[in-house]
Amino acid sequence: MIAQSWKCSSCGHVAIGLFPPESCPACHAGREAFITEHEFLFPKEETDAVIKACWKVSYGLYVVTSVQGERMNGQICNTLFQITSDPPRFAIGINRRNLTHEFIASSEVFAASILGDGDHRFVRRFGYRSGRDFDKLKGIATRIGRTGCPVLEESIGYVECALLSDKTVDAGTHSIFVGEVVGGGILKDGEPMTYAHYHATKSSAQ
Ligand SMILES: Cc1cc2nc3c(=O)[nH]c(=O)nc-3n(C[C@H](O)[C@H](O)[C@H](O)COP(=O)(O)O)c2cc1C
């Protein structure tokens, strides 16, 4: 595993990664503007330890939904966290290729339904196929929240956010969206699903 630091020859911005960014997040110069500075080598024997340490970072699991006109869609997301409490704001990491990304970027709203620890069926439905291929919300009990986004009735609770679009971060394959909380609530008792619990139980779960 070799990560390098890349310096933008146009503005001096430094990015770390295996490859230079597609464009400079500071001055928007193209990839060709980046020159490599230093090399950080992870010796082979450290690579396994680095990967295992990454696996110890814990997450929950959520169905993140959004809208575009009359259309609605949702996807599984583990990269959601509350980034500030006053004002209450959440950040999510969403792949640019996802239909949900397209919807959030255009409507500037999203909702996150918090999955319970037995909700494997929702992960299977929302996490492995795109809404471009089929209507993932068809037949799923939902309520429409204040933002117009659907919320899963069978989740243990939800938050709804309005995007702070000037705070969206280009993270390469993903965008990091930051949203201010504009609604939410608890829908039932239950323990939230964690990413680790999902992976430990997914092969035996219904
Ligand atoms: C356990 C799990 C966690 C996931 N976490 C994320 C995530 O944090 N961000 C993301 O963009 N995709 C994540 N995905 C993948 C998306 O849910 C998946 O690509 C989905 O099919 C995208 O659907 P869409 O094209 O309808 O938006 C995850 C999938 C699974 C199974």
Side-chain angles (χ1 to χ4, degrees), residues 73 75-76 78-79 93-95 98-100 127 129-131 136:
N73 189 52
Q75 68 154 78
I76 294 296
N78 65 283
T79 53
I94 302 292
N95 194 309
N98 294 356
L99 185 61
T100 310
R129 285 177 62 192
S130 177
K136 290 189 259 188

Side-chain angles (χ1 to χ4, degrees), residues 117-121 123-124 128 193 195-206:
D117 59 7
D119 288 340
H120 297 72
R121 66 194 183 286
V123 184
R124 289 193 292 268
Y128 294 98
M193 174 83 95
Y195 190 69
H197 177 74
Y198 170 69
H199 283 291
T201 56
K202 65 180 178 184
S203 52
S204 55
Q206 297 291 310

Side-chain angles (χ1 to χ4, degrees), residues 58-86:
S58 59
Y59 312 85
L61 279 185
Y62 313 90
V63 174
V64 168
T65 51
S66 192
V67 291
Q68 189 178 62
E70 299 288 298
R71 298 169 69 200
M72 297 181 179
N73 189 52
Q75 68 154 78
I76 294 296
C77 176
N78 65 283
T79 53
L80 172 146
F81 62 99
Q82 185 172 355
I83 192 160
T84 60
S85 55
D86 187 14

Side-chain angles (χ1 to χ4, degrees), residues 5-140:
S5 82
W6 301 91
K7 188 171 185 179
C8 176
S9 55
S10 165
C11 73
H13 176 83
V14 174
I16 306 290
L18 294 176
F19 305 104
E22 279 171 15
S23 62
C24 177
C27 73
H28 308 295
R31 172 169 275 175
E32 67 284 355
F34 280 88
I35 49 171
T36 182
E37 283 201 311
H38 313 291
E39 272 199 354
F40 299 101
L41 295 177
F42 287 93
K44 278 196 188 320
E45 62 271 22
E46 275 185 41
T47 301
D48 278 358
V50 170
I51 291 170
K52 282 179 183 161
C54 291
W55 288 348
K56 292 290 181 195
V57 176
S58 59
Y59 312 85
L61 279 185
Y62 313 90
V63 174
V64 168
T65 51
S66 192
V67 291
Q68 189 178 62
E70 299 288 298
R71 298 169 69 200
M72 297 181 179
N73 189 52
Q75 68 154 78
I76 294 296
C77 176
N78 65 283
T79 53
L80 172 146
F81 62 99
Q82 185 172 355
I83 192 160
T84 60
S85 55
D86 187 14
R89 290 178 176 171
F90 277 82
I92 51 174
I94 302 292
N95 194 309
R96 292 166 179 281
R97 292 188 191 156
N98 294 356
L99 185 61
T100 310
H101 187 287
E102 186 183 318
F103 283 17
I104 294 171
S106 68
S107 66
E108 303 198 328
V109 287
F110 64 88
S113 295
I114 302 158
L115 296 183
D117 59 7
D119 288 340
H120 297 72
R121 66 194 183 286
F122 291 135
V123 184
R124 289 193 292 268
R125 186 172 179 94
F126 289 92
Y128 294 98
R129 285 177 62 192
S130 177
R132 292 194 176 89
D133 304 330
F134 84 117
D135 182 357
K136 290 189 259 188
L137 288 159
K138 190 173 180 184
I140 304 288

